Amino acid sequence: MTNGTDTNLTLIFAEELAAITPATLTERDHAQLDLLVFDYFGVAYGGASRPWIAALHRWAERYRGTGPARIIASDIEATPEVAAFVNGAAGHSFELDDTHEASMSHPGAVVIPAALAVASETGASGRDVLAAVAAGYEAMARIGIAARAERVIAAGHHPTAVFGVFGAAVAAGKLKGFTAPQITAAWGHALSLSAGSMQFSQEVSGAEVKRLHAGYAARAGVLAAEVVEAGVPGPTRGLDGRYGFLALYGHDAVPEALTRMGARGLAIHDMSFKPYACCRLLHSMIDGLRTTTCGFAVADAEIRAVLVRGPGKLAEQHMVRRPDTPMAAQYSMPFTVGAALAFGPDRYDAYEPDNLSDPRILAFADRVEVAHDAALEAAYPEHFGTEVEVTFADGSTRTERVLDSLGTPVNPMTVEALRFKARGLIGARLDEAAFERLVNEVAALKGAPNVGPLQAAVAK
């Protein structure tokens, strides 16, 4: 056993998650859950415009009418597994979904679609859905921390995919009324369903599979809960057993972290919202650029060089100067510097194919260098910090060090900013009246008898 004792940490953790109920959620918890669910829908609507999600909508037509779960931005209702898959993929398609830094994962795009899909079938109340979502976030966060997420990703596994199935299984199981032993059984199945390779980051073609990883995890978690409900038992030590998740995926794993709550309480309060459509690690860099360039107001010719200091991962995985795909561009530090300086940081379309050869962006990208910073490395991944040093044409320099970027718990986005983000992503898919209906239904979820009104609000 990876924990070196006979203590079943898998069961202890499951008991804690089973104890998260509507009655245990505080007003503070509900306020945060409202923001997380609302942000998810804005991002998923934006994702629904992507070509791979349009392809999944066509694929889902074969399942039309097979269940009550709504596929966002469509008129298709299907089984919970199908809806969780498509809606999870949509939520992970714009690089704007919420982030849990310490686990390096995106829980919202996995847990929320899984919970809503199952709730459509079970008739669960909105309060039960929110409790299930909170438990799913908690599962993903703590499993990622226990596995040492920064080493998991370095070994080639995508955290959102490999941790996500456990979070989705918890959310789905709670909405089916699972006891703690039943949650561990679902995790036993999730262990065999957990997968997600970083190979997408190494190839020009096929990178879009990364967008589907959240959907795969959401669907697999729902499936894990369904087979337990059907009466198929699963291993009970799926997390901390001899061949459990931490033994197979963890690197110098910390099993005791499974039963250790975060300093802010539930993991939902450790979440970061993304204002910029690129890798979360690059957000602090954008904030640093904003300060050093006086709000991106410096003329192109005045910027001679940009040096970015930060964790070693910047040099190892983020220095492609000529990305070939939108996803590669969103992971490229030089391209992101160029896009922010050329277009400003708020253009969601900056990483579209037509802009990959933009001469202004590429000219800036060629002026970017990277350096390792030991202090920022030590703070990573709990903090995705960077230091930006801009050298100007006259030889002068300006430097800005940002440990916690805009959108993090210590530097949060305002409610108005999240609303503006959602409105921009949803665009013409919903008119103003329909958008306000969505806003109101999310706010009303904690008092709703079921998810029917919310599902209607996200229909085509």
Side-chain angles (χ1 to χ4, degrees):
M1 293 175 287
T2 60
N3 63 35
T5 74
D6 289 330
T7 303
N8 187 337
L9 294 178
T10 302
L11 178 59
I12 292 173
F13 187 24
E15 289 172 340
E16 187 176 344
L17 297 179
I20 296 175
T21 68
T24 67
L25 295 180
T26 66
E27 285 302 312
R28 173 174 171 261
D29 296 333
H30 276 295
Q32 179 72 349
L33 286 163
D34 285 351
L35 295 179
L36 292 168
V37 173
F38 177 66
D39 188 65
Y40 163 74
F41 277 118
V43 175
Y45 255 102
S49 67
R50 315 305 286 161
W52 47 89
I53 303 302
L56 289 186
H57 281 195
R58 293 191 296 271
W59 168 84
E61 280 288 351
R62 70 190 70 186
Y63 300 103
R64 179 186 287 274
T66 57
R70 171 74 62 179
I71 293 177
I72 294 171
S74 82
D75 60 357
I76 302 172
E77 292 184 332
T79 64
E81 313 96 90
V82 171
F85 172 43
V86 179
N87 291 339
H92 197 48
S93 283
F94 234 113
E95 289 298 326
L96 280 163
D97 40 336
D98 61 29
T99 307
H100 183 257
E101 264 86 350
S103 67
M104 303 183 70
S105 68
H106 302 278
V110 179
V111 172
I112 293 172
L116 292 173
V118 172
S120 71
E121 186 173 67
T122 65
S125 70
R127 284 167 56 83
D128 287 328
V129 170
L130 293 173
V133 168
Y137 271 70
E138 200 70 21
M140 281 187 69
R142 290 203 219 170
I143 291 170
I145 292 170
R148 302 286 299 274
E150 71 278 15
R151 301 191 181 190
V152 171
I153 195 170
H157 303 294
H158 185 210
T160 297
V162 296
F163 307 151
V165 60
F166 297 95
V170 169
K174 285 181 67 66
L175 292 169
K176 293 176 179 292
F178 278 14
T179 62
Q182 287 175 303
I183 290 174
T184 66
W187 280 342
H189 288 286
L191 175 62
S192 293
L193 293 166
S194 178
S197 167
M198 291 293 295
Q199 183 60 30
F200 66 81
S201 68
Q202 303 300 306
E203 298 193 19
V204 173
S205 177
E208 290 79 6
V209 71
K210 188 262 188 185
R211 319 292 194 179
L212 274 58
H213 279 185
Y216 286 141
R219 176 185 179 276
V222 171
L223 179 61
E226 287 179 343
V227 295
V228 170
E229 184 180 44
V232 182
T236 61
R237 301 290 291 268
L239 299 182
D240 69 332
R242 180 176 181 181
Y243 300 115
F245 183 80
L246 296 183
L248 297 180
Y249 286 87
H251 297 264
D252 294 325
V254 188
E256 57 269 24
L258 292 173
T259 56
R260 186 187 301 150
M261 181 173 278
R264 295 185 183 89
L266 291 174
I268 56 173
H269 299 293
D270 291 326
M271 298 304 301
S272 294
F273 296 90
K274 295 180 72 173
Y276 316 128
C278 61
C279 176
R280 182 74 210 184
L281 182 55
L282 306 181
H283 284 218
S284 60
M285 177 196 72
I286 293 175
D287 288 347
L289 282 174
R290 185 191 303 276
T291 300
T292 52
T293 63
C294 302
F296 303 98
V298 177
D300 293 15
E302 290 301 307
I303 297 176
R304 179 187 297 173
V306 177
L307 174 64
V308 182
R309 301 181 181 94
K313 189 171 183 285
L314 287 175
E316 294 164 4
Q317 298 184 0
H318 295 278
M319 278 302 292
V320 175
R321 295 185 188 276
R322 295 293 186 270
D324 297 298
T325 66
M327 198 221 69
Q330 289 170 312
Y331 270 62
S332 164
M333 187 174 70
F335 190 92
T336 298
V337 169
L341 292 174
F343 294 172
D346 302 319
R347 285 270 299 270
Y348 300 146
D349 64 342
Y351 304 90
E352 293 298 283
D354 289 348
N355 292 324
L356 297 184
S357 58
D358 183 275
R360 287 187 69 203
I361 292 177
L362 298 183
F364 281 126
D366 288 337
R367 303 173 207 171
V368 177
E369 298 297 337
V370 65
H372 181 255
D373 186 293
L376 293 172
E377 184 75 63
Y380 175 79
E382 286 78 10
H383 302 273
F384 284 11
T386 56
E387 181 175 272
V388 174
E389 179 182 301
V390 177
T391 301
F392 297 93
D394 63 1
S396 65
T397 63
R398 293 180 195 157
T399 302
E400 182 72 10
R401 193 176 185 88
V402 179
L403 186 62
D404 297 295
S405 61
L406 178 63
T408 58
V410 299
N411 186 17
M413 293 175 67
T414 64
V415 173
E416 292 74 18
L418 289 172
R419 181 186 173 102
F420 181 80
K421 169 187 170 181
R423 193 69 193 97
L425 286 167
I426 291 172
R429 286 180 173 268
L430 293 179
D431 60 25
E432 284 301 324
F435 178 74
E436 289 302 324
R437 179 186 178 193
L438 173 59
V439 173
N440 293 334
E441 292 298 344
V442 171
L445 183 59
K446 59 181 172 290
N450 55 60
V451 297
L454 183 56
Q455 284 214 119
V458 299
K460 184 175 180 179

